Amino acid sequence: MKKTTFERWRAKVDIKGPDDCWEWLVAKNKDGYGRFRTNKKVMLAHRFSYAHYKNKGQLIPSNLCVCHHCDNPGCVNPNHLFLGTHKDNAQDRDRKGRGLYKNLKKHTDDEAIKIRLDYASGLSQRKVAKLNDTFQSTVHKIVNHKPPYER
């Protein structure tokens, strides 16, 4: 007898307790999200999980993200998933310190003064950035008095 789509999906998941991550066991993309083929299309396994368990089997519109409370891209536990916009997903990522700028920090006033003094001494912005463990673009903002002073 031919398996249902859900049975095929279920066979690829290590289901544990309701609070544990349910790991996708097979194909994953470069970011660690499970890939699942259904109806001759490849979809993300966590989106399938959310659709099956929380959306009465209806697919999620492409303008919405299925986000992870657990921050584990290989997790398909519906208890760990929530819907959000791309903006919601980016804000969640940034709040948890996983974004592109995860290592940014505000420079203190004293650090900004030191950067301005280093630059005023004749050093290039690139050398000032290296000396102060920050980015050249940040040095540019600081010496031109354009907040925020992030590195």
Side-chain angles (χ1 to χ4, degrees), residues 42-142:
V42 175
M43 70 182 304
L44 295 174
H46 69 290
R47 288 181 71 87
F48 181 90
S49 176
Y50 189 94
H52 178 81
Y53 287 101
K54 294 194 168 188
N55 208 39
K56 299 178 181 152
Q58 299 298 309
L59 294 179
I60 309 305
S62 60
N63 66 326
L64 292 178
C65 298
V66 176
C67 310
H68 289 82
H69 290 295
C70 63
D71 293 330
N72 175 1
C75 177
V76 297
N77 182 341
N79 294 331
H80 292 192
L81 305 175
F82 65 99
L83 273 187
T85 64
H86 290 281
K87 183 178 179 182
D88 296 332
N89 196 28
Q91 288 173 337
D92 179 59
R93 175 203 63 212
D94 293 343
R95 225 181 359 264
K96 294 173 180 173
R98 295 180 292 101
L100 178 62
Y101 302 107
K102 63 184 172 197
N103 294 323
L104 291 184
K105 77 167 187 81
K106 298 272 185 187
H107 283 285
T108 65
D109 288 340
D110 288 343
E111 290 170 329
I113 290 167
K114 181 181 181 310
I115 287 170
R116 286 190 192 102
L117 290 172
D118 289 345
Y119 181 70
S121 74
L123 295 174
S124 69
Q125 288 183 6
R126 191 171 82 189
K127 287 183 180 175
V128 172
K130 189 170 186 167
L131 183 65
N132 290 279
D133 190 31
T134 193
F135 298 107
Q136 180 179 346
S137 60
T138 302
V139 171
H140 176 79
K141 288 177 185 175
I142 290 173

Side-chain angles (χ1 to χ4, degrees), residues 24-39:
W24 185 251
L25 299 173
V26 290
K28 293 182 180 179
N29 68 16
K30 65 180 178 56
D31 297 318
Y33 293 94
R35 296 168 31 111
F36 180 64
R37 185 177 298 277
T38 179
N39 298 329

